[in-house]
């Protein structure tokens, strides 16, 4: 097992030579602690697979260095990195049995057959493949094949890290839930560093101790699910995590406090007074409430979601979403709303700048 570090890593794919390079990874400085369960969360195209392939050595970055336990392995081939990688689509040997597929990574490393047998049995049991061990892999459904792929990723105990690249994409929803819990359990048992790539926040938040949020080729925030929810450092984190996402509204500043359409708001984390550029105030729907004093709004829509209601309020054509409890009465006459100062956050060019008042 190893601590993995990225130092100023950037990557551009080859392109027609008359163009400026386009960086799929713009600048990544990141430490993956030994034994951590990480999710790498971000929309399609933000660079997740590129980052995984740089860890495993399938790609050499255009710039920067990769360290395993402090040793520079940037130029080391895949075979010498001791990384298991599970891809988005199944990689199995159709002509081999399920057993031989699972045994392959172990035999490849010269593991003794009795140990192979024991590990294959364990993994097969965990993935409910026990009954089909002697069947040829070619006869299996897409689900079954992807389980083999997962098994091949998990079968070795001596790896530096296991990387999963959206491994449950082709798996049906019920089984998906089961496998995800099993992976989490397995992490707790064996303690190998796991990096699990997904574009699904629920998947990320249930699997990981730490979620690494990526956007447009950069890591915008690393945190526990609670940290990302309560303290989004970038508007993208606010918007991508949570349902509905954070309200992001245009603002100006008055002595470091946000002003939204002439309404002075209050935040526990004021900003420096002299910022130029795009200024916004962010507040999650959970931290907006109806109040005696506050911003006057019109109610545009109320959605009853059972345990709570999502209210869409309007002020000067700006939509503000609110999450209120199922039994809360929505005021019908001149409603006003206010934001909880502890969770009202100022963003400058999309980055949180609160707590920097001088
Ligand atoms: P993700 O896994 O988050 O969907 P990728 O790492 O696959 O993102 O891709 C990041 C960016 O790099 C995308 O814009 C994608 O089009 C581009 N890209 C990925 N692979 C290649 C490649 N082999 N050649 C050229 N561009 C690529
Ligand atoms: Mg990908």
């Amino acid at each position: 097992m190893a601590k993995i570090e990225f130092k100023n890593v950037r990557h551009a794919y080859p392109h027609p030579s008359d163009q400026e390079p386009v960086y799929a990874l713009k600048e990544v400085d990141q430490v993956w602690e030994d034994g951590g369960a990480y999710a790498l969360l971000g929309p399609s195209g933000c660079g997740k697979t590129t980052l995984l392939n740089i860890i495993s050595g399938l790609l050499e970055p255009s710039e920067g260095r990769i360290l395993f336990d402090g040793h520079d392995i940037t130029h080391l081939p895949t075979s010498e990195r001791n990384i298991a990688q599970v891809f988005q689509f199944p990689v199995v040997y159709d002509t081999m049995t399920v057993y031989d597929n699972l045994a392959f990574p172990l035999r490849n490393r010269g593991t003794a057959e009795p140990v192979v047998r024991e590990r294959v049995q364990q993994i097969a049991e965990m993935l409910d493949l026990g009954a089909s061990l002697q069947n040829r892999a070619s006869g299996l459904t897409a689900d079954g094949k992807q389980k083999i792929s997962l098994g091949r990723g998990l079968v070795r105990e001596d790896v530096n890290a296991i990387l999963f690249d959206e491994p449950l994409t082709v798996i049906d929803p019920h089984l998906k839930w089961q496998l995800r819990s099993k992976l989490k359990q397995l992490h707790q048992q064996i303690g190998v560093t796991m990096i699990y790539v997904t574009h699904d926040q629920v998947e990320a938040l249930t699997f990981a101790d730490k979620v690494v949020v990526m956007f447009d080729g950069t890591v915008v925030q690393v945190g526990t699910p609670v940290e990302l929810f309560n303290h989004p450092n970038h508007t993208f984190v606010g918007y991508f995590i949570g349902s509905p996402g954070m309200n992001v509204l245009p603002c100006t500043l008055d002595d470091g406090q946000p002003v939204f359409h002439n309404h002075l708001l209050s935040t526990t984390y004021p900003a420096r007074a002299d910022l130029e550029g795009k200024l916004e105030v962010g507040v999650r729907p959970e931290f907006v409430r109806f109040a005696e004093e506050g911003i006057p709004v019109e109610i545009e829509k109320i959605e009853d979601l059972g345990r709570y209601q999502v209210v869409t309020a309007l002020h000067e054509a700006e939509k503000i979403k609110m999450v209120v409890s199922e039994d809360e009465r929505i005021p019908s006459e001149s409603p006003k709303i206010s934001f909880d100062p502890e969770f009202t956050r100022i963003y400058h060019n999309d980055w949180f700048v609160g707590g920097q008042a001088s």
Side-chain angles (χ1 to χ4, degrees), residues 45 48-50 88 165-166 197:
K48 303 181 298 297
T49 297
T50 303
Q88 190 166 5
D165 196 352
E166 313 213 28
V197 166

Side-chain angles (χ1 to χ4, degrees), residues 177-203:
W177 188 86
Q178 277 183 342
L179 286 177
R180 206 165 57 212
S181 330
K182 280 194 177 155
L183 287 180
K184 173 127 196 150
Q185 240 176 28
L186 196 86
H187 176 262
Q188 281 157 355
Q189 279 167 22
I190 63 175
V192 172
T193 311
M194 293 189 182
I195 304 176
Y196 185 102
V197 166
T198 177
H199 61 266
D200 177 341
Q201 58 161 313
V202 177
E203 233 174 57

Side-chain angles (χ1 to χ4, degrees), residues 154-319:
L154 297 169
V155 78
R156 284 178 53 206
E157 287 177 298
D158 58 342
V159 291
N160 280 323
I162 310 178
L163 315 179
F164 301 95
D165 196 352
E166 313 213 28
L168 306 182
T169 309
V170 296
I171 305 246
D172 84 66
H174 178 66
L175 189 61
K176 206 180 241 189
W177 188 86
Q178 277 183 342
L179 286 177
R180 206 165 57 212
S181 330
K182 280 194 177 155
L183 287 180
K184 173 127 196 150
Q185 240 176 28
L186 196 86
H187 176 262
Q188 281 157 355
Q189 279 167 22
I190 63 175
V192 172
T193 311
M194 293 189 182
I195 304 176
Y196 185 102
V197 166
T198 177
H199 61 266
D200 177 341
Q201 58 161 313
V202 177
E203 233 174 57
L205 301 182
T206 47
F207 173 76
D209 306 329
K210 281 266 174 81
V211 180
V212 178
V213 185
M214 283 187 73
F215 173 65
D216 197 19
T218 54
V219 171
V220 286
Q221 190 169 1
V222 183
T224 63
V226 172
E227 284 164 354
L228 297 176
F229 187 83
N230 286 341
H231 307 292
N233 272 343
H234 189 278
T235 53
F236 177 76
V237 177
Y239 150 84
F240 201 63
I241 291 176
S243 179
M246 183 171 73
N247 296 295
V248 179
L249 305 165
C251 75
T252 54
L253 292 179
D254 180 355
D255 200 20
Q257 294 287 334
V259 180
F260 169 60
H261 283 284
N262 292 324
H263 295 277
L264 180 63
L265 307 173
S266 166
T267 174
T268 314
Y269 309 99
R272 256 185 16 232
D274 59 345
L275 295 170
E276 305 212 339
K278 184 173 68 167
L279 280 167
E280 287 163 313
V281 60
V283 61
R284 290 200 178 274
E286 287 80 358
F287 305 121
V288 182
R289 40 189 78 106
F290 291 106
E292 293 289 311
E293 294 295 317
I295 306 165
V297 292
E298 276 169 53
I299 306 296
E300 188 192 57
K301 191 164 68 172
I302 301 170
E303 293 158 90
D304 188 348
L305 299 184
R307 295 206 338 269
Y308 59 93
Q309 317 175 65
V310 175
V311 177
T312 307
L314 282 178
H315 178 82
E316 303 279 347
E318 297 285 351
K319 278 189 211 292

Side-chain angles (χ1 to χ4, degrees), residues 99-115:
Y99 184 100
D100 289 339
N101 265 284
L102 293 176
F104 191 84
L106 295 169
R107 288 177 173 156
N108 212 12
R109 294 241 146 195
T111 310
E113 279 302 313
V115 180

